[in-house]
Amino acid sequence: MTKPSIGDLLAGVASSLREAVLPEIPAGPTRRQIQVAISIIRRASRAWDRVGPYLYADNKDIEETLRHVSALLDRAKSDDAGLKLLGQKMLTALDQRSGAEVEYPSPAALSARNVELQGLLVELQQALHAPPARDLAERTEVLGMLRAVFRRMLVRELEVNVAEPARK
């Protein structure tokens, strides 16, 4: 990793603004804007270095969940053509393996893949609430898998967005 990291640089800018610039600005709208900018820069500095690993883990988890769901739906006894079509769409998206040509894709590629995968989760959730799928025997199991992946996604999001505890 390059030192200083982007997160370190952003934290340094925020500190410089707070310590050197802010005291020189009189009370008023400009000072409040600088204070807001410092807060935003500090927040970005804490999250910056965590975003790539967060998206990478999120994508792997969603892909694994969708593979299990797809296999479950493939074995299901259902005449729901929409659900079968969605299962094929999920498999096609999973087989694309966005960024597979590199060991660790760029944040932009990870982000685009995350949006695509979350779109599939939304489609799956909507399909499971549509009339033909409501009678699907595997529906409860799939909904449980979705709740579990959403829970894990929230935990990862908290790890990125919550400030680190104060160091002793």
Side-chain angles (χ1 to χ4, degrees):
M1 174 182 269
T2 307
K3 283 290 182 181
S5 70
I6 299 295
D8 294 337
L9 292 171
L10 288 170
V13 168
S15 292
S16 292
L17 286 172
R18 189 188 78 236
E19 294 165 8
V21 176
L22 196 59
E24 302 296 321
I25 299 174
T30 303
R31 183 178 180 90
R32 285 191 299 275
Q33 286 296 321
I34 295 290
Q35 289 170 321
V36 169
I38 291 168
S39 295
I40 291 169
I41 293 168
R42 283 214 182 284
R43 184 173 179 192
S45 76
R46 286 190 301 267
W48 186 271
D49 297 328
R50 301 179 199 170
V51 171
Y54 153 72
L55 288 171
Y56 187 82
D58 218 35
N59 291 351
K60 293 296 178 192
D61 191 9
I62 296 170
E63 287 171 349
E64 183 178 320
T65 300
L66 289 176
R67 280 191 206 295
H68 289 298
V69 167
S70 181
L72 190 64
L73 292 178
D74 192 43
R75 293 189 306 267
K77 307 259 189 275
S78 174
D79 296 332
D80 184 355
L83 208 51
K84 291 196 182 295
L85 187 62
L86 179 57
Q88 286 301 324
K89 183 177 179 180
M90 288 188 308
L91 284 177
T92 300
L94 293 171
D95 288 342
Q96 288 175 353
R97 309 221 19 106
S98 179
E101 64 281 351
V102 293
E103 188 173 323
Y104 192 82
S106 71
L110 289 168
S111 181
R113 180 66 168 169
N114 194 262
V115 169
E116 176 188 18
L117 293 170
Q118 287 196 38
L120 290 171
L121 289 174
V122 169
E123 283 186 59
L124 177 60
Q125 201 168 26
Q126 289 172 340
L128 291 170
H129 288 71
R134 285 190 208 143
D135 299 327
L136 184 68
E138 292 81 4
R139 180 177 181 268
T140 303
E141 187 176 353
V142 172
L143 287 172
M145 293 169 81
L146 289 177
R147 278 190 296 279
V149 76
F150 292 145
R151 219 174 287 115
R152 292 188 302 269
M153 289 167 68
L154 285 171
V155 168
R156 280 189 293 273
E157 178 121 3
L158 279 172
E159 290 171 357
V160 169
N161 290 309
V162 175
E164 291 181 19
R167 293 187 178 135
K168 294 180 182 181

